[in-house]
Amino acid sequence: MSYVGWILITGSLVGILCGTIGCFLILRKMAMLADAISHTVLLGIVAAYLISQSMQGIYMLIGACLVGLLTAFFIQLLDSSGVQADAAIGVVFTFLFAVGIILISLYARNVHLDVQHVLMGEIAFVPWDTWEWNGYSMGPKAVWMLGTVLIINLILITLFYKEIKISSFDPQMAIALGIPVTFIHYLLMGMVSVTAVASFDSVGAILVVAMLIAPGATAYLLTDRLSTMLILSAVIGVLSSILGYYAAAYWNVSIAGCMATAAGLLFGLAFLFSPKHGLVARMLAMRKIKINPPA
Amino acid sequence: MWTQLVTILSDPNTQWVLSGTILLGIASGVLGSFALLRKQSLIGDAMAHAALPGICLAFLLTSSKSIAWLLLGALLTSLIGSYCIQIIVRFSRIKQDTALGLVLSVFFGIGIVLLTYIAQSGAGNQSGLNTFIFGQAASLVGQDVRIISGVALVLLFITSLLFKEFKLITFDPEFAQGLGLPVRFLSGLLMLLIVAAVVVGLQAVGVVLMAAMLITPAISARYWTDNLAKMIVIAGGIGALSSVSGVILSTLAKGLATGPLIIVCATVIFLFSLFLAPQRGLVSKLIRHYRVKQSIAKSRGQLAAGWEEHKGVEL
């Protein structure tokens, strides 16, 4: 497999992974919670490094997952003790992120964990960081990690599809039906944390938010069916990655940044030209009403 | 301990940093209170991220690192960002939080693209631009502090001048409209002030943590009073206090970042307020709850006793 091939595969995996999870975040109005978690994952990674003294993927995943769940839990806690919802998110994630940065500047100065890398990711280095097994090169570590998380996420989504769907669209009914709404909430938050940390190496903490939200939001403007939305969102995620990579290669700029920009552009197109929910379609519909007012 | 503190405070460099961050803390605390009450706390976060492309563009166009141009660029793209959020929410079925996250991350992505473009085009040393991402309060120099202080003072002045109007559009925009106040203009102006506070703070605490400077002091102040005028004074005070303690703590060890420490101090103050504030704090709520329970138990006991006493009485 060529260098470019691995990058495209990594980007596409990030696109599919973030795209599918992102749909639920948008439907449940938890986009900013995802933003919070993708920031606090930093603390999880630093803590995992400090405790285990190694940069192995599995420790990072566990640490990130724990801190991600903790973030969701703290926000919930503040929320239920009467703090305004948006302020609760803001207080919790900035605090945990600040602690993460302080820990880095105190202890982890001379490791690979520089903050720049953490925020922006470096997908260009992914193909060189390969996994050796019995002397064979098995391809980049990041691809294995993303692949594993993708399979876990897909299994969880198919297992709990009905439950997630009902609790996303109608939480009251979900409670009435006896669906464990809280469990589903934390399940999703756990999936978001794991997704964030797996995508971390490639796209960094803040741009993973773009990959989480933009494809889902674009798909949301294009369809009214959840199953279609999930597939569309994954496709748009992959498309943003590929477009982003080639734009970045052409102008010789940050790949992750270009992926986020491409995702934003695709959203802009859907916002304007979506057949049903787009701005143009809406305006045409308005004009039709003005010309032939309904009786 | 005391002499150590005096030596820290007599260092001229620390004095510069302190005066800049204190004014910044006050201004963001005051404006953050309005943002909080208007349920726009996280907009500050989005604005801070959306400032990055503006900083890069200003650098590309003027090829100078003059702080005034960079801040102007930042202000411009932040305002475009806030406009985009409003447009997306108004003209599509995307909700506010999704629009926020979308604008925040996509603008930041564009910023990163521009940053790498500057780095490889050899247009000059862009290392100064990186400081905006994490902030470098410790390296603030006279020029930066003068601009931060100047902007902060102007923001505070405008806020005090229009306090009554801002109060009205925050709590009852319909009534303000009815009185004939230019509500849309005033909301726009308030938003501009908030964005300006965010933008001048970038250099000190950075893109990611600037949101906390707006949110944390304001939400802490909310626990101590129900009066807006008192709230903004307290929030400004908490902002200043966290700045001072953050700056002093960061001088204790080498390599400690000032911005994150300021945020941690503010969060500690928030937790203190959350638990121990006299009326709304969790502890005083618990005590009140316990007292009510006690008095209910007491009257129940009296009732039961009365019932026993009159059991045999024919009515």
Side-chain angles (χ1 to χ4, degrees):
Chain A
M1 182 80 63
S2 69
Y3 173 78
V4 176
W6 280 123
I7 290 192
L8 288 180
I9 287 184
T10 315
S12 307
L13 282 173
V14 171
I16 300 173
L17 198 57
C18 295
T20 38
I21 284 284
C23 290
F24 297 115
L25 295 172
I26 287 162
L27 291 173
R28 300 165 77 96
K29 301 188 190 65
M30 296 193 313
M32 288 315 279
L33 202 53
D35 178 48
I37 287 183
S38 67
H39 281 86
T40 54
V41 154
L42 173 72
L43 177 61
I45 291 182
V46 181
Y49 169 76
L50 289 178
I51 293 170
S52 74
Q53 290 295 328
S54 83
M55 292 288 290
Q56 262 183 341
I58 183 73
Y59 296 117
M60 304 280 136
L61 276 181
I62 295 173
C65 196
L66 284 180
V67 175
L69 288 177
L70 211 62
T71 312
F73 175 71
F74 279 151
I75 292 175
Q76 197 79 41
L77 201 67
L78 286 188
D79 214 15
S80 60
S81 60
V83 179
Q84 206 173 298
D86 56 340
I89 293 179
V91 170
V92 171
F93 96 79
T94 50
F95 173 66
L96 294 178
F97 189 80
V99 172
I101 296 216
I102 291 174
L103 284 181
I104 288 186
S105 65
L106 273 185
Y107 299 110
R109 258 284 149 93
N110 38 10
V111 246
H112 160 72
L113 245 182
D114 66 305
V115 196
Q116 198 97 353
H117 175 97
V118 159
L119 276 196
M120 302 174 203
E122 212 24 284
I123 200 170
F125 295 149
V126 161
W128 292 320
D129 188 15
T130 52
W131 183 41
E132 304 262 334
W133 190 65
N134 281 348
Y136 294 101
S137 169
M138 306 290 286
K141 276 182 198 157
V143 171
W144 281 96
M145 186 135 122
L146 284 166
T148 318
V149 173
L150 180 62
I151 291 170
I152 296 174
N153 274 4
L154 287 183
I155 291 175
L156 287 174
I157 291 178
T158 30
L159 271 182
F160 295 101
Y161 184 71
K162 211 168 47 184
E163 282 81 0
I164 299 177
K165 187 174 170 182
I166 297 178
S167 67
S168 300
F169 285 104
D170 196 339
Q172 267 85 29
M173 179 167 144
I175 294 173
L177 285 176
I179 292 171
V181 179
T182 323
F183 168 72
I184 298 284
H185 175 77
Y186 283 107
L187 182 73
L188 274 173
M189 290 303 106
M191 280 155 75
V192 171
S193 326
V194 177
T195 304
V197 75
S199 322
F200 213 74
D201 245 3
S202 335
V203 293
I206 298 183
L207 298 176
V208 72
V209 183
M211 296 306 281
L212 276 171
I213 299 177
T218 315
Y220 187 51
L221 289 179
L222 295 174
T223 174
D224 289 337
R225 279 190 69 86
L226 179 60
S227 47
T228 325
M229 183 175 163
L230 284 170
I231 294 168
L232 260 181
S233 177
V235 172
I236 293 166
V238 172
L239 210 60
S240 327
S241 305
I242 294 175
L243 277 177
Y245 172 73
Y246 282 108
Y250 184 76
W251 282 295
N252 188 19
V253 288
S254 154
I255 300 173
C258 276
M259 285 162 62
T261 313
L265 282 179
L266 289 177
F267 173 81
L269 285 180
F271 176 71
L272 290 176
F273 303 116
S274 154
K276 195 167 163 199
H277 301 287
L279 198 60
V280 174
R282 276 191 183 205
M283 287 200 166
L284 287 180
M286 286 290 260
R287 223 175 61 180
K288 216 169 170 185
I289 294 174
K290 264 187 199 157
I291 295 170
N292 319 307
Chain B
M1 170 75 205
W2 188 245
T3 46
Q4 200 185 0
L5 203 62
V6 171
T7 29
I8 290 171
L9 291 180
S10 57
D11 176 35
N13 188 36
T14 313
Q15 284 171 358
W16 274 119
V17 175
L18 263 181
S19 49
T21 46
I22 287 178
L23 273 170
L24 183 71
I26 297 176
S28 48
V30 168
L31 287 163
S33 307
F34 285 108
L36 179 83
L37 294 171
R38 290 164 68 86
K39 307 237 160 32
Q40 291 179 332
S41 294
L42 289 174
I43 286 190
D45 188 30
M47 295 305 88
H49 285 77
L52 189 63
I55 293 171
C56 298
L57 275 180
F59 178 75
L60 274 174
L61 291 179
T62 66
S63 61
S64 78
K65 249 186 278 175
S66 145
I67 179 82
W69 282 113
L70 298 185
L71 292 187
L72 210 62
L75 189 68
L76 198 72
T77 45
S78 293
L79 286 176
I80 295 176
S82 82
Y83 194 63
C84 281
I85 294 173
Q86 284 169 26
I87 295 277
I88 291 174
V89 174
R90 204 159 137 214
F91 292 108
S92 75
R93 58 173 179 162
I94 303 281
K95 307 289 180 301
Q96 166 103 5
D97 67 315
T98 307
L100 270 177
L102 191 74
V103 165
L104 177 157
S105 51
V106 170
F107 271 63
F108 192 78
I110 298 174
I112 297 284
V113 169
L114 289 172
L115 212 56
T116 46
Y117 177 76
I118 293 171
Q120 55 95 10
S121 71
N125 177 15
Q126 43 69 273
S127 60
L129 299 183
N130 282 340
T131 60
F132 281 96
I133 296 181
F134 290 109
Q136 232 155 51
S139 67
L140 289 179
V141 291
Q143 169 81 6
D144 307 332
V145 173
R146 266 191 288 274
I147 289 192
I148 291 182
S149 323
V151 173
L153 286 176
V154 171
L155 294 180
L156 289 174
F157 180 69
I158 301 179
T159 314
S160 59
L161 215 59
L162 291 173
F163 176 70
K164 213 166 55 180
E165 284 79 4
F166 285 161
K167 185 175 170 180
L168 203 53
I169 61 166
T170 299
F171 288 114
D172 199 341
E174 278 88 12
F175 181 56
Q177 188 93 52
L179 285 179
L181 282 178
V183 174
R184 285 193 63 176
F185 168 76
L186 285 170
S187 325
L189 182 66
L190 190 53
M191 182 51 94
L192 179 71
L193 297 183
I194 293 172
V195 172
V198 167
V199 164
V200 291
L202 291 182
Q203 231 193 347
V205 290
V207 162
V208 184
L209 293 176
M210 190 53 217
M213 292 292 282
L214 282 178
I215 302 173
T216 313
I219 187 76
S220 319
R222 187 68 193 86
Y223 278 90
W224 298 92
T225 174
D226 285 331
N227 178 318
L228 179 64
K230 283 183 195 154
M231 177 176 161
I232 65 174
V233 172
I234 296 175
I238 292 176
L241 186 65
S242 9
S243 300
V244 174
S245 34
V247 170
I248 291 177
L249 278 178
S250 74
T251 55
L252 293 183
K254 215 172 159 52
L256 272 176
T258 315
L261 276 173
I262 296 179
I263 308 307
V264 169
C265 291
T267 313
V268 170
I269 298 177
F270 162 71
L271 289 177
F272 179 79
S273 316
L274 174 71
F275 285 105
L276 298 175
Q279 287 286 317
R280 307 164 57 99
L282 290 183
V283 172
S284 83
K285 263 188 194 166
L286 263 180
I287 292 174
R288 231 176 307 148
H289 197 80
Y290 177 75
R291 284 207 185 124
V292 170
K293 243 183 171 171
Q294 287 275 307
S295 79
I296 289 176
K298 201 174 153 201
S299 35
R300 196 177 268 166
Q302 283 169 346
L303 268 177
W307 173 251
E308 285 297 321
E309 211 171 293
H310 298 285
K311 222 181 198 169
V313 181
E314 294 272 341
L315 285 175

